[in-house]
Amino acid sequence: MPAHGRLLRRYGQQGKNGSPASKGITIATREGAQVIAPFDGKVVYAGEFRGYGLILIIEHGKRYHTLLAGVERVDAVVGQWILAGEPIGVMTDDGVRKPELYLELRRNGQAINPLPWLAATGDKVRG
C-alpha cells in the first residue's frame, strides 16, 4: 500500500447517495503520513489537476499507470525514476481536512482493481 491507513472505499464500490462506482481505492491515513510509490516506474505527471488537487501519475511500463491523489505535497518530479517503497509525497496535516489518499491503477487507459497488484508486491522493501 502506498500509505498506512484504513481502506475507506474499494474498487467498484458504489458511493454514498448513488454516486458512481469507484475506479480506484481510497485510504484514510493519519495526518502528515508519508506516501510511497506502490510500484517501480517513471513520474509522468506531478501537479494540480482539474479540482482534484495535487496528483501524481507514475508510468510502470506495459501500458500500466498509477494515479495518486489527495496528497498535500509531492516529493517527486516529472521524469524521475522511482522504486517501489520510495517516498513520493506527504498527506495533509492542517487539522481541518481528513487525509484521504486515492489510488487508481490503469492498464491501456482503463481502471483496474489495484488490490490484487498491491497484495502481490508485499515482498518489496518499504520505505
Side-chain angles (χ1 to χ4, degrees):
M1 294 296 248
H4 290 286
R6 183 173 52 90
L7 193 59
L8 290 178
R9 195 167 177 196
R10 294 178 176 271
Y11 173 83
Q13 183 177 343
Q14 188 76 25
K16 294 180 180 178
N17 303 322
S19 64
S22 178
K23 292 182 179 183
I25 62 171
T26 303
I27 304 163
T29 70
R30 65 174 172 75
E31 291 184 353
Q34 185 176 61
V35 180
I36 61 171
F39 312 106
D40 298 347
K42 180 181 178 182
V43 176
V44 294
Y45 186 86
E48 296 279 337
F49 187 77
R50 296 186 189 170
Y52 291 99
L54 286 176
I55 68 166
L56 184 70
I57 301 175
I58 306 167
E59 181 181 286
H60 308 292
K62 298 185 181 179
R63 305 181 116 181
Y64 284 93
H65 291 82
T66 297
L67 179 145
L68 295 158
V71 294
E72 176 74 16
R73 185 183 81 220
V74 173
D75 296 330
V77 295
V78 173
Q80 179 180 353
W81 287 92
I82 53 177
L83 300 175
E86 188 173 341
I88 55 172
V90 176
M91 298 300 291
T92 186
D93 65 353
D94 64 9
V96 177
R97 296 174 288 157
K98 292 182 180 179
E100 293 182 0
L101 180 66
Y102 176 77
L103 179 144
E104 191 171 295
L105 178 62
R106 293 182 160 257
R107 181 166 191 261
N108 296 322
Q110 299 296 314
I112 61 173
N113 187 355
L115 289 177
W117 294 86
L118 293 167
T121 60
D123 61 341
K124 283 262 191 176
V125 174
R126 296 288 180 220

